[in-house]
């Protein structure tokens, strides 16, 4: 199968245009599974909880998820993408997984970064894996990369690929941690980051690009530029993610000794 990453440059609040820009980029190549950035259609730098709520949508009935479903049906592919989700009194930084037959799953960002803590509710759903037939897919969002438990939870549930929508602002930190997440779990990771600068407050945020797909050996199969709108599609071999052997006596997941760990504290 192959996997596509989209590195876009959304303009804050221009949901329709940002969405069309991403769909145009996806139309330039063909992929079985596409990954779009975190908050890909709204932009990232919210100034208040009310502003996040105003741009948030119910999932899956909202127009962004419905547009993603239509895109997946038209192109016979699966898509993971980030958007603000409203559910009752809560607004979450969410990613959705959709396919040709419709909505499949949502993930609500568990580890909120910086001022997201002011504008979003922390995720309240466990990390989960969805079998899409061609692969078992898990989702995490941006800053989750720094918490090895995120990727490990997905790997232990059988994820072959972790889709990682991102709006990274700390240069090349996640590129390093995601290579390690791929290596230590023997999985593929696909990080789609955005580029550009948002200066809606006193502080400006510059997004650091370098979207990447990493293989189970921790090596990048592709890494995009720091500051260009780009897409890449790469072939991945799911069998490699299912072979956890290190030597004939060692296995990346099977050799774990959970009785001696205290990670749930
Ligand atoms: C991030 O979690 N958007 C850095």
């Amino acid at each position: 199968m192959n996997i596509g990453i989209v590195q876009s440059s959304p303009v804050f609040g221009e949901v329709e245009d940002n969405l069309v820009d991403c769909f145009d980029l996806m139309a330039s190549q063909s992929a079985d599974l596409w990954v779009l950035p975190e908050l890909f259609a709204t932009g990232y730098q919210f100034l208040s909880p009310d502003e996040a709520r105003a741009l948030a949508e119910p999932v899956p009935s909202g127009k962004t998820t419905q547009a993603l479903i239509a895109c997946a049906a038209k192109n016979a592919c699966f898509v993971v993408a980030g958007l603000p989700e409203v559910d009752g009194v809560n607004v979450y930084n969410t990613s959705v997984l959709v396919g040709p037959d419709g909505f499949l799953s949502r993930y609500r960002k568990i580890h909120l970064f910086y001022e997201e803590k002011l504008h979003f509710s922390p995720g309240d759903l466990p990390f989960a894996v969805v079998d899409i037939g061609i692969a078992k897919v898990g989702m995490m969002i941006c800053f989750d990369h720094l918490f090895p438990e995120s990727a490990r939870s997905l790997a232990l549930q059988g994820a072959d690929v972790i889709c990682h929508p991102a709006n990274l602002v700390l240069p090349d930190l996640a590129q390093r941690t995601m290579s390690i997440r791929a290596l230590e779990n023997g999985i593929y990771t696909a990080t789609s980051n955005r580029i550009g600068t948002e200066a809606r407050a006193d502080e400006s945020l510059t997004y650091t690009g370098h979207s990447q797909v990493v293989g189970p050996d921790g090596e990048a199969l592709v890494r995009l530029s720091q500051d260009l709108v780009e897409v890449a599609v790469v072939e991945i071999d799911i069998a490699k993610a299912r072979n956890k052997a290190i030597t004939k006596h060692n296995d990346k997941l099977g050799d774990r000794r959970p009785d001696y760990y205290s990670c749930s504290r």
Side-chain angles (χ1 to χ4, degrees), residues 38 44 109 111 113 116 141-143 167-169:
E38 178 181 13
Y44 179 82
K109 188 175 186 179
H111 305 102
F113 178 72
E116 290 171 35
I141 301 177
C142 206
F143 191 49
N167 276 188
L168 296 159
V169 293

Side-chain angles (χ1 to χ4, degrees), residues 8-248:
S8 60
S9 184
V11 176
F12 189 91
E14 301 294 331
V15 173
E16 276 304 315
D17 288 353
N18 296 333
L19 211 133
V20 168
D21 284 350
C22 280
F23 290 175
D24 285 350
L25 288 166
M26 292 160 71
S28 68
Q29 294 196 43
S30 141
D32 298 311
L33 170 61
W34 283 101
V35 184
L36 274 55
E38 178 181 13
L39 300 168
F40 83 99
T42 56
Y44 179 82
Q45 197 183 27
F46 293 97
L47 300 185
S48 69
D50 285 347
E51 198 177 60
R53 175 173 296 276
L55 285 175
E57 301 177 18
V59 170
S61 62
K63 63 178 192 297
T64 299
T65 308
Q66 289 301 313
L68 291 165
I69 290 170
C71 172
K74 182 173 162 213
N75 298 307
C77 65
F78 295 85
V79 186
V80 168
L83 74 164
E85 177 195 5
V86 62
D87 184 9
V89 296
N90 293 307
V91 177
Y92 299 100
N93 183 343
T94 292
S95 63
V96 294
L97 167 62
V98 303
D101 296 327
F103 175 73
L104 289 166
S105 183
R106 87 191 75 205
Y107 163 69
R108 293 169 169 167
K109 188 175 186 179
I110 287 175
H111 305 102
L112 295 177
F113 178 72
Y114 196 46
E115 292 187 343
E116 290 171 35
K117 290 191 172 189
L118 309 179
H119 306 141
F120 293 101
S121 298
D124 59 352
L125 301 172
F127 289 102
V129 169
V130 179
D131 189 345
I132 61 169
I134 49 175
K136 292 184 180 167
V137 173
M139 293 184 278
M140 51 192 250
I141 301 177
C142 206
F143 191 49
D144 288 327
H145 72 86
L146 204 59
F147 302 87
E149 295 87 349
S150 314
R152 180 49 57 91
S153 301
L154 293 168
L156 289 174
Q157 293 176 70
D160 304 307
V161 184
I162 291 181
C163 298
H164 182 221
N167 276 188
L168 296 159
V169 293
L170 303 176
D172 287 334
L173 178 64
Q175 286 74 8
R176 284 186 283 147
T177 56
M178 289 307 284
S179 294
I180 299 297
R181 301 296 163 253
L183 172 67
E184 66 196 356
N185 291 296
I187 51 169
Y188 289 92
T189 65
T191 298
S192 288
N193 191 19
R194 60 164 289 177
I195 62 158
T197 295
E198 286 179 320
R200 307 189 62 244
D202 293 344
E203 183 178 28
S204 67
L205 296 176
T206 294
Y207 304 95
T208 52
H210 290 319
S211 300
Q212 64 181 14
V213 179
V214 179
D217 59 0
E219 296 296 330
L221 302 174
V222 67
R223 184 169 288 157
L224 301 184
S225 66
Q226 188 182 321
D227 54 6
L228 298 177
V229 168
E230 286 182 276
V231 293
V233 176
V234 291
E235 192 73 31
I236 66 172
D237 180 359
I238 293 303
K240 287 189 181 158
R242 295 191 179 171
N243 176 10
K244 305 294 187 193
I246 304 167
T247 71
K248 66 180 179 180

